[in-house]
Amino acid sequence: MGNNQFSDGELWSRSLNGDGDAFGLLFDRHRDRVFRHAHRLCPGRHDAEDVLATAFLELWRRRDRVRLVDGSILPWLLVTTTNVARNSRRSAFRYRKLLNSLPRPDDAGDPLEEVLLRNPLEAVDHELAAALRGLGAMDQQLISLVALEGYTVAAAATVLGLTPSAAKTRLFRARERLKGAMGQPSHGARQPMMNGELP
């Protein structure tokens, strides 16, 4: 049974009826894109792998509430990945705050900087990832679905429960905030970002 032989809708329907192989095919089909999205939102590869696993766990745990968009389960997974990454960052922040409150030598370096020095590939798109993490959840989801994953504004609006016009407005504002965070000049009068256009 090939990975592209069945649509997401068919595989999801079979999964809901207890077909573990169908769920495995969905995982194989979408894991790379979900991982790339998680890696944009997380400081390191291991965190992104945890977020990937949790997103697929949530897919099964919340199976009654999953909505396919244009026959694809990927938009739901990407939105869930954004939410899981945000929750993970909050937990890490609380943990780091606790660690920072403990006494330590003055010469101890930043663990994230040490990871980046050991593995420069972790720094790929670090500036974009940092700027994305500075946006609110809805804006992260819109940018991720439309600009980074190539979905239409209408499809992103559907999965996020927005009207297309509200999605376009939010997308434009999110794009401007991203540009500001990345030190690029803002184009206040420019039209909202079109499908596939990177910030």
Side-chain angles (χ1 to χ4, degrees):
M1 166 169 58
N3 198 6
N4 294 318
Q5 185 177 356
F6 300 103
S7 70
D8 276 12
E10 292 170 307
L11 291 173
W12 183 239
S13 178
R14 287 173 42 197
S15 297
L16 292 175
N17 289 321
D19 186 342
D21 290 337
F23 192 83
L25 286 173
L26 283 171
F27 177 81
D28 290 343
R29 180 177 291 173
H30 297 302
R31 72 173 169 229
D32 292 340
R33 287 181 76 183
V34 171
F35 175 78
R36 282 194 305 271
H37 180 56
H39 199 264
R40 284 191 288 263
L41 300 173
C42 296
R45 179 177 185 84
H46 296 296
D47 294 322
E49 289 169 348
D50 289 345
V51 167
L52 164 72
T54 304
F56 276 93
L57 176 65
E58 288 297 298
L59 174 65
W60 184 250
R61 194 174 73 79
R62 297 177 178 223
R63 59 191 172 273
D64 316 359
R65 295 180 237 158
V66 172
R67 287 187 291 173
L68 275 64
V69 175
D70 295 332
S72 175
I73 207 157
L74 184 61
W76 192 94
L77 279 167
L78 295 174
V79 168
T80 300
T81 299
T82 301
N83 293 335
V84 169
R86 287 176 64 82
N87 290 340
S88 175
R89 281 197 317 275
R90 284 189 196 113
S91 295
F93 174 77
R94 288 191 297 271
Y95 180 69
R96 187 172 184 139
K97 188 175 176 183
L98 172 67
L99 288 181
N100 287 340
S101 70
L102 300 173
R104 67 180 194 183
D106 291 336
D107 60 349
D110 181 3
L112 177 59
E113 289 302 318
E114 292 171 19
V115 167
L116 293 177
L117 289 174
R118 281 196 314 265
N119 186 359
L121 291 178
E122 295 286 342
V124 173
D125 288 340
H126 188 63
E127 186 180 12
L128 174 60
L132 264 176
R133 288 191 296 268
L135 297 176
M138 184 70 72
D139 293 340
Q140 282 181 5
Q141 293 164 353
L142 278 168
I143 291 285
S144 298
L145 288 170
V146 177
L148 301 175
E149 293 296 334
Y151 283 93
T152 63
V153 173
T158 299
V159 78
L160 295 172
L162 298 171
T163 64
S165 60
K168 283 183 186 178
T169 301
R170 288 191 73 107
L171 194 57
F172 177 75
R173 290 180 182 150
R175 183 173 178 256
E176 293 300 304
R177 283 194 295 277
L178 260 185
K179 283 180 159 187
M182 295 176 69
Q184 298 176 1
S186 177
H187 302 291
R190 207 170 153 200
Q191 292 299 316
M193 176 169 26
M194 299 307 291
N195 183 26
E197 179 185 341
L198 288 175

